Amino acid sequence: MAKSVAIQLKGISKYFGEVVANKNVDLTVYKGEILSVLGENGSGKTTLMNMLSGIYFPDEGQIFVDGAPVVIRSPRDAYHYGIGMVHQHFKLVDVFSAIDNVLLGEKAPKFVLKEKSAELRERAAKATYVIDNDDTEAPVKTVRQTDTAFGRFRLNARIALLPLEKALYKARFNWLPRKRGQKIKEVAAKYGFEIDLNKKIYDMSVSEKQTVEIIKVLYRGADILILDEPTAVLTPQETQKLFDVIRNMREDGKSIIIITHKLNEVMEISDRVAVLRKGEHVATVNTAETDINELTEMMVGRKTELNIARALPENEQDRLEVSNLTLVNHENVKVLDNVSFTAYSGEILGIAGIAGSGQRELLETIAGLNRPTSGTISYNDPTTGRKENLVRKTPAQIRELGVRLSFVPEDRLGMGLVGNMDIIDNMMLRSYKRGKLPFLDRKNPKQLAENIIRDLEVVTPSSHTPVRRLSGGNIQKVLVGREIASAPTVLMAAYPVRGLDINSSYTIYNLLNTQKERGVAVIYVGEDLDVLIELCDRIMVICAGRVTGIVDGRKAKKEDIGLLMTGSVEIKEKEGCAND
């Protein structure tokens, strides 16, 4: 039995000046299927989906919905054709409840006084026929409401009351949403969503907020759902719940398009996979007939080894000791709560946690960018053997102590690099104070910039290009390359592969492993639990600013880390291993 086509793209192209985002893309999505869209950064997958959802308009090509050509110029047009997109960054009002957010933007059907008045007059003037049995000559009579004085009075009275009827109609729509609230609850129950719809958004977890976004598009009648990186910030347990809901939607005949970079999840949830490369559609394959290596080769255009060579730590020594670290921010919120751990030389310590659990604040505090409320941060100098307390010291003071600490911040251009400066000048930010002459040394920074461009395959016209003109992934390469090149004894990296394609991501993983083999204590904050388990020697889990456990990366399971991320369980580390 042939599948029914839900949506079809033919020859879709999109240009931004001289940049080709999509070129002659053909894509078919069937009813009742889950289609994953894969591609490197800059391959055009999000741009393509934005054209489906009405954010962009294609420069060339045609979109068909249920076999009919359509024109989608706005998200409202997309909703009209049953297309809804859940973006990676949620668009919710924090102080509203889930129900209020779902109903937000919903418009009542038009109530135009002139049209209603004309409709009443037309209905009153319309002839009706009655049978008069007493009149044998003309038993069929024609009757109109306007034929009698009383009928005309009723018509005029009804027209006069139309403004009041309109006001009551609006009040009923805006202030009495009980029936619509019940409909929203029915949508949630139908697909297996577990959520309190009366809960305020600011009290919700990330997965609950995502649930509200999905319910919102379903309530508006979407039959084609586009999910952009839906599992990026979810725990393994939350991911499985989401997959169960997606399967329920598929069984109901919905078409689901998932944009993701997690190949193992693609293999688990999707029916087919569409691969884009450099804006063009490479192939669409059945998930059951492919594997991760083939998908990677299609994405990159060549065979790529996706193995992280993790060696056993050697000559481990205490390099950084954090004890009872507490931080209260300017809003009087405790973002770090009694955090204690030790980072050893020659190992990679991973940090896992739901977004906003305190990972960023922890690294910034160690780097001297935040002043902790209490606690100690001790650095053990490998050359002198001295122990230095880094608390309440500025980054400059930390450098003066001889502490070689590198930090790859989460905010690339806000904290890591200067957007208006070129790559060479951004290299000099690390070295310009070392010069002894009144003139700056640009030779060594230029050589470093050229090496990073070559080794990390940074796409740029030259080393003199302002950093802000690079893509997000290339900016990240410049930042990571500079920090690693400073030969640190402690390297802290917050989401260093965010925005990078899969090939470049594995290049960064290998660079971190190289630093580990040189005896550097590497602290790595990541989002992908599969990578954390494969890359890190130990994994510290943070929930709401507290350390809920430190586990062995070689023995850890995603499900167990997920429970630690939500605070459902806690474990303590003793003598280098995790124990209950």
Side-chain angles (χ1 to χ4, degrees):
M1 182 177 178
K3 292 183 179 179
S4 300
V5 175
I7 196 163
Q8 188 173 24
L9 308 180
K10 289 187 176 181
I12 296 294
S13 298
K14 182 65 181 178
Y15 307 96
F16 296 98
E18 296 181 356
V19 177
V20 180
N22 292 114
K23 184 178 179 182
N24 199 31
V25 174
D26 293 335
L27 188 67
T28 301
V29 184
Y30 296 104
K31 294 181 179 179
E33 81 158 353
I34 301 171
L35 175 72
S36 290
V37 179
L38 283 178
E40 296 182 278
N41 286 86
S43 62
K45 53 187 183 297
T46 300
T47 301
L48 187 66
M49 294 302 108
N50 280 339
M51 285 187 278
L52 269 182
S53 61
I55 295 175
Y56 294 148
F57 187 76
D59 297 319
E60 298 172 2
Q62 182 70 63
I63 300 174
F64 296 83
V65 176
D66 291 331
V70 300
V71 176
I72 302 175
R73 295 184 179 275
S74 68
R76 185 170 293 278
D77 289 343
Y79 275 126
H80 175 73
Y81 293 113
I83 303 170
M85 184 169 180
V86 177
H87 297 269
Q88 188 173 357
H89 301 289
F90 307 136
K91 305 178 186 305
L92 301 170
V93 180
D94 281 352
V95 295
F96 284 7
S97 68
I99 287 181
D100 291 336
N101 270 279
V102 173
L103 297 177
L104 191 64
E106 185 182 22
K107 288 187 176 181
K110 288 184 179 181
F111 194 112
V112 182
L113 292 177
K114 287 185 178 181
E115 293 180 0
K116 288 288 183 180
S117 176
E119 182 182 333
L120 289 175
R121 293 182 187 279
E122 182 180 350
R123 192 185 309 162
K126 189 175 181 180
T128 58
Y129 301 95
V130 297
I131 304 296
D132 187 355
N133 294 324
D134 296 330
D135 190 343
T136 56
E137 293 185 2
V140 180
K141 307 281 186 187
T142 301
V143 179
R144 295 178 177 83
Q145 183 180 345
T146 54
D147 288 343
T148 64
F150 181 69
R152 290 191 292 273
F153 172 77
R154 285 183 59 192
L155 173 63
N156 292 329
R158 180 71 190 282
I159 293 173
L161 290 173
L162 280 177
L164 178 60
E165 185 179 341
K166 180 178 181 179
L168 291 174
Y169 176 78
K170 284 191 173 181
R172 191 163 55 247
F173 182 86
N174 291 326
W175 302 106
L176 299 176
R178 294 176 185 172
K179 290 185 178 179
R180 289 179 290 148
Q182 183 59 37
K183 182 181 176 183
I184 295 171
K185 292 177 181 178
E186 290 172 0
V187 170
K190 179 178 180 181
Y191 297 106
F193 291 107
E194 298 176 3
I195 187 171
D196 179 5
L197 292 169
N198 294 312
K199 194 175 182 180
K200 299 292 186 183
I201 298 299
Y202 58 72
D203 285 330
M204 290 186 174
S205 66
V206 175
S207 64
E208 288 176 317
K209 293 177 183 179
Q210 184 182 69
T211 296
V212 175
E213 288 281 20
I214 296 174
I215 292 175
K216 187 196 300 185
V217 297
L218 289 172
Y219 174 75
R220 283 166 167 71
D223 292 317
I224 303 163
L225 284 84
I226 305 168
L227 308 180
D228 187 5
E229 298 286 358
T231 65
V233 291
L234 301 185
T235 66
Q237 289 80 3
E238 291 168 338
T239 297
Q240 289 305 316
K241 286 183 180 179
L242 175 63
F243 284 176
D244 290 339
V245 169
I246 290 175
R247 292 185 183 103
N248 291 338
M249 291 191 289
R250 177 181 60 187
E251 295 303 316
D252 192 46
K254 305 289 186 185
S255 303
I256 302 98
I257 303 173
I258 299 177
I259 305 172
T260 184
H261 68 281
K262 297 183 179 181
L263 295 175
N264 58 328
E265 293 180 359
V266 168
M267 300 301 296
E268 178 182 353
I269 190 64
S270 64
D271 300 306
R272 294 189 305 139
V273 185
V275 181
L276 300 181
R277 186 170 70 239
K278 296 181 180 179
E280 299 185 25
H281 178 228
V282 176
T284 299
V285 296
N286 294 323
T287 307
E289 300 172 359
T290 188
D291 57 35
I292 289 177
N293 290 330
E294 183 183 11
L295 292 175
T296 304
E297 185 176 347
M298 286 192 287
M299 288 168 55
V300 179
R302 62 182 184 276
K303 287 186 178 295
T304 303
E305 291 294 330
L306 300 182
N307 296 318
I308 299 175
R310 175 174 53 188
L312 288 171
E314 296 181 3
N315 301 320
E316 292 179 276
Q317 297 178 1
D318 296 358
R319 185 65 65 233
L320 193 72
E321 297 178 39
V322 176
S323 179
N324 302 317
L325 191 67
T326 298
L327 175 67
V328 178
N329 65 14
H330 64 280
E331 296 177 350
N332 206 31
V333 176
K334 189 182 288 186
V335 291
L336 294 177
D337 186 2
N338 204 35
V339 173
S340 298
F341 68 93
T342 300
Y344 301 104
S345 61
E347 76 153 6
I348 299 178
L349 173 65
I351 299 180
I354 297 172
S357 294
Q359 305 96 310
R360 176 175 59 84
E361 289 83 359
L362 175 60
L363 266 59
E364 289 179 359
T365 303
I366 295 173
L369 300 176
N370 294 328
R371 287 182 174 249
T373 308
S374 62
T376 61
I377 304 170
S378 299
Y379 170 77
N380 296 309
D381 195 315
T383 56
T384 65
R386 290 185 306 171
K387 181 179 288 189
E388 301 284 357
N389 187 4
L390 307 185
V391 169
R392 300 188 181 279
K393 287 184 170 57
T394 66
Q397 290 171 331
I398 291 174
R399 281 197 303 272
E400 289 172 3
L401 289 172
V403 177
R404 290 180 292 167
L405 186 151
S406 291
F407 178 35
V408 180
E410 183 177 358
D411 184 0
R412 304 164 186 160
L413 290 180
M415 294 176 61
L417 301 170
V418 179
N420 287 328
M421 291 169 57
D422 64 23
I423 300 176
I424 297 174
D425 288 343
N426 273 284
M427 298 299 109
M428 291 176 62
L429 291 176
R430 268 288 186 182
S431 61
Y432 74 95
K433 286 189 176 181
R434 300 175 194 162
K436 297 180 180 179
L437 298 175
F439 301 101
L440 292 174
D441 173 24
R442 293 181 61 86
K443 182 178 179 180
N444 291 330
K446 182 177 181 180
Q447 185 60 49
L448 175 59
E450 297 292 347
N451 291 341
I452 290 174
I453 292 171
R454 182 188 66 250
D455 296 342
L456 299 186
E457 299 180 350
V458 178
V459 179
T460 176
S462 75
S463 58
H464 297 284
T465 302
V467 168
R468 62 180 170 78
R469 293 185 181 175
L470 304 180
S471 68
N474 287 306
I475 290 172
Q476 188 77 316
K477 291 179 186 179
V478 171
L479 178 56
V480 174
R482 184 193 70 185
E483 293 302 304
I484 289 176
S486 64
T489 54
V490 177
L491 172 63
M492 300 188 298
Y495 312 107
V497 299
R498 180 180 283 173
L500 299 188
D501 56 58
I502 190 167
N503 196 40
S504 298
S505 296
Y506 276 80
T507 300
I508 297 298
Y509 302 147
N510 291 331
L511 286 173
L512 295 178
N513 264 322
T514 300
Q515 295 300 303
K516 164 189 165 179
E517 292 168 3
R518 292 175 178 172
V520 176
V522 180
I523 301 176
Y524 171 83
V525 179
E527 297 168 315
D528 193 327
L529 290 185
D530 291 303
V531 170
L532 281 165
I533 290 172
E534 191 176 353
L535 174 69
C536 301
D537 300 293
R538 292 183 300 143
I539 301 172
M540 181 174 73
V541 185
I542 295 182
C543 175
R546 291 186 306 108
V547 175
T548 53
I550 301 179
V551 299
D552 187 335
R554 292 169 176 80
K555 300 176 181 178
K557 296 181 180 179
K558 284 174 60 176
E559 295 74 17
D560 297 335
I561 295 177
L563 293 174
L564 292 170
M565 288 170 66
T566 58
S568 301
V569 297
E570 288 191 21
I571 59 176
K572 295 181 180 179
E573 188 189 46
K574 295 180 181 179
E575 299 179 359
C577 62
N579 299 295
D580 291 334

